[in-house]
Amino acid sequence: MSTLTGTRGLIRLILRRDRFLLPTWILWLSILPIQTAVATDQLFPTAQARQDYFGTIVANPGLVGFLGPVFNSSLGALTTWRIGAYFVIVGLVSLLTVIRHTRTDEEAGRRELLGSTVVGRYAPLAAALLVTFAANLLLAAVLTAGMVGLGLPVAGSLALGLALAAAGWMFAAIAAVAAQLTQGAGGARGIAVGVLGLAFLLRAAGDSGGQGSGVSWLSWLSPLGWAQQTRPYAGERWWVFALAAGLVVALVAAAVALLARRDVGAGILPARLGPAAAAPGLRSPLALAWRLHRGMLLGWTAGFAVGGVVIGSVAESTSDLAAESAQLQDLLQRLGGQGGLADAYLAGVMSLLGVAAAGYAIQATLRLRAEEEGLRAEPVLATTVGRVSWTISHLVFGVFGPAVALAVFGLTGGLVYGLMRGDVAGELPRVLGGALVQLPAVWVLSGVAAALFGLLPRLAAASWAALAVFGSLAMLGPLLQLNQGLVDVSPFSHIPRLPGGAVSATPLAWLLGLAAVLAVAGLGGFRRRDLVSA
């Protein structure tokens, strides 16, 4: 039979498994940029207002480094700059999708089961890549149609859609290679996400110096830099897409070659053999959980530390950025607090930070389901370790892991912001408090993941859909002026807008109580159900 036999059937299987997750991220990542274009047009309705806004962006290396280069003052170019973070998000979602349907399936034993049927050796990899590539193209099509519907130029809209799709394609191909290197899905995700982080840092370092600077060439070492250098709405560079296509072809070819050299379930990089007997420090469930979670904890904490430095360095310039637009001042105030514009900006960032930290909380909590599906929980629970103690050992990282990451963000962001304002002692506690106050909402999402794991394990991945809904309501509610009752469905809408806002203990107490109830429900459900059950 052909090495691609069964690809069509596996594509149908992936579409069925991701029938909720796939449409969610396609619609979310295509509609939000359209809404950004609408908001930008409302904030800067005249050419002069957009030109002034463009000038403040160019004069701020921190903003350019964080979101990417801006090439002119047109509505389309400013929108492209404002959604600079979406290139990272599309890359992240794409690489996670490929690893989920390749290395994760191998680790769980599903790949071997499928391989015993009429399925070619390369069919699973081909199916995962084809679905991810098609999803990115669909995202590009929806985004292009939406931008054209707003009256923006067709060429620029097409370039923007294809640029986001190109970022997704490149990191899907990077994930395909990473999936061949390690024996575990966690290691593959670590390699791919590490490459994504390096690409962001190279792009940020190159762009922060400005076009023509001595370090601008660094952005050309980054796939994210290539995607943004296509220059939508600013004299499109169509030839850059050839670089992206060449990289995708080369990486896919490398992944196929590596797949041919390894056994099913194995990786190119050999797994290190552990000692014959566990060290004394691994004799408890919590110690084992620390061993499993420490890499993810360190990675998220390092990312939040870098984010704190970046946000702290640009917060002081927010007043200058908004000085030319009363609408932008009003938006910042609605997004985050009643203090000055810098406080409002920081409070708005903290809201987004809470959503990101909730993603970490869900990922850490769902490690329970990954251990169960990978049949690694059963040997542990066959010893004297009880179900409750084993579950709590992982929930500790779903609770305290985000707390550590948020505290590091608050410390680094507050220190940098305080240094720029010459008042570290006054500003550091305020920024730290704004970060830590997000924890009750974050813990609600961790509780949702725990409850689904214990009560409806097959739907545990729906925790991500809950995060998407709650995060969208929190971020888009002020922009779209949605009904407050609908916005209040999100736990993030009940968090005080700090620094600068008033604090009420009542909603925080309710959120903590809800998180505790969800966690207890999950524990109770897991105690009563079978392992790897529906």
Side-chain angles (χ1 to χ4, degrees):
M1 66 179 178
S2 168
T3 55
L4 293 176
T5 299
T7 301
R8 185 177 301 176
L10 291 177
I11 288 175
R12 291 197 299 269
L13 176 61
I14 292 174
L15 292 176
R16 178 174 176 77
R17 292 176 61 190
D18 288 359
R19 61 188 180 277
F20 299 116
L21 187 61
L22 205 62
T24 298
W25 72 258
I26 291 174
L27 291 175
W28 186 52
L29 292 174
S30 57
I31 292 177
L32 285 182
I34 297 172
Q35 176 57 37
T36 300
V38 174
T40 302
D41 189 38
Q42 293 174 347
L43 293 171
F44 308 101
T46 66
Q48 184 59 48
R50 288 193 290 269
Q51 182 61 42
D52 293 338
Y53 183 47
F54 171 75
T56 58
I57 296 170
V58 173
N60 192 315
L63 285 175
V64 174
F66 185 58
L67 291 178
V70 57
F71 298 105
N72 64 38
S73 61
S74 68
L75 175 60
L78 292 177
T79 300
T80 300
W81 173 77
R82 292 185 67 187
I83 65 169
Y86 282 73
F87 291 90
V88 179
I89 296 174
V90 170
L92 178 63
V93 172
S94 298
L95 71 87
L96 291 177
T97 301
V98 171
I99 291 175
R100 164 177 160 80
H101 294 292
T102 53
R103 176 51 67 180
T104 300
D105 281 352
E106 284 194 50
E107 189 176 17
R110 291 187 290 268
R111 169 67 179 87
E112 188 172 6
L113 182 63
L114 290 171
S116 64
T117 64
V118 186
V119 173
R121 183 172 183 82
Y122 303 132
L125 177 62
L129 287 173
L130 288 173
V131 169
T132 307
F133 289 167
N136 279 283
L137 287 179
L138 182 57
L139 184 155
V142 174
L143 178 57
T144 299
M147 290 297 191
V148 172
L150 295 178
L152 294 174
V154 174
S157 301
L158 180 60
L160 177 58
L162 290 178
L164 284 171
W169 278 43
M170 287 186 284
F171 283 97
I174 288 171
V177 174
Q180 315 310 316
L181 298 178
T182 67
Q183 186 173 339
R189 281 191 292 266
I191 292 173
V193 172
V195 173
L196 177 62
L198 177 61
F200 173 79
L201 292 176
L202 287 172
R203 202 273 311 145
D207 292 336
S208 61
Q211 298 298 312
S213 66
V215 296
S216 61
W217 58 272
L218 288 173
S219 63
W220 288 98
L221 300 179
S222 166
L224 294 174
W226 294 358
Q228 293 182 274
Q229 286 293 335
T230 54
R231 297 194 176 190
Y233 307 104
E236 293 76 18
R237 288 174 166 174
W238 299 104
W239 58 268
V240 177
F241 289 109
L243 295 177
L247 179 63
V248 170
V249 171
L251 289 172
V252 170
V256 170
L258 292 174
L259 177 58
R261 293 170 59 88
R262 67 176 181 86
D263 293 331
V264 174
I268 295 295
L269 302 176
R272 293 184 301 170
L273 295 177
L282 284 177
R283 289 179 178 172
S284 70
L286 183 60
L288 177 60
W290 160 251
R291 184 70 172 266
L292 296 173
H293 284 268
R294 63 185 181 182
M296 182 167 60
L297 174 61
L298 292 175
W300 276 90
T301 302
F304 272 54
V306 173
V309 172
V310 174
I311 296 301
S313 64
V314 304
E316 179 63 18
S317 63
T318 307
S319 299
D320 297 333
L321 186 66
E324 302 297 332
S325 173
Q327 295 94 335
L328 181 57
Q329 294 178 26
D330 177 68
L331 174 64
L332 285 173
Q333 294 288 358
R334 285 191 283 117
L335 280 175
Q338 293 86 31
L341 285 177
D343 281 356
Y345 169 76
L346 285 171
V349 169
M350 295 304 177
S351 299
L352 301 179
L353 187 71
V355 176
Y360 171 34
I362 290 174
Q363 185 180 6
T365 303
L366 290 185
R367 184 63 189 251
L368 289 162
R369 183 60 177 167
E371 292 297 299
E372 182 184 9
E373 288 186 315
L375 303 181
R376 295 182 294 274
E378 190 170 359
V380 175
L381 295 175
T383 66
T384 58
V385 176
R387 290 195 177 200
V388 172
S389 60
W390 178 76
T391 305
I392 291 177
S393 70
H394 287 277
L395 287 180
V396 164
F397 293 90
V399 172
F400 292 105
V404 172
L406 286 168
V408 169
F409 179 94
L411 290 172
T412 56
L415 179 62
V416 173
Y417 181 55
L419 288 173
M420 296 191 68
R421 299 204 64 175
D423 184 18
V424 174
E427 298 299 340
L428 193 152
R430 298 175 69 244
V431 176
L432 179 60
L436 292 180
V437 80
Q438 307 297 321
L439 283 173
V442 171
W443 288 338
V444 168
L445 270 299
S446 180
V448 169
L452 289 175
F453 163 74
L455 300 172
L456 299 169
R458 184 169 291 183
L459 298 179
S463 308
W464 294 107
L467 176 62
V469 172
F470 293 154
S472 298
L473 288 174
M475 290 186 291
L476 293 181
L479 292 174
L480 301 178
Q481 298 183 353
L482 298 177
N483 180 273
Q484 190 59 41
L486 178 61
V487 175
D488 286 343
V489 172
S490 171
F492 300 103
S493 65
H494 301 282
I495 297 298
R497 305 304 185 185
L498 299 178
V503 179
S504 174
T506 302
L508 298 180
W510 277 106
L511 290 176
L512 290 174
L514 176 60
V517 168
L518 290 170
V520 170
L523 284 171
F526 182 58
R527 287 185 63 191
R528 290 169 175 79
R529 69 172 176 84
D530 294 333
L531 291 179
V532 198
S533 73

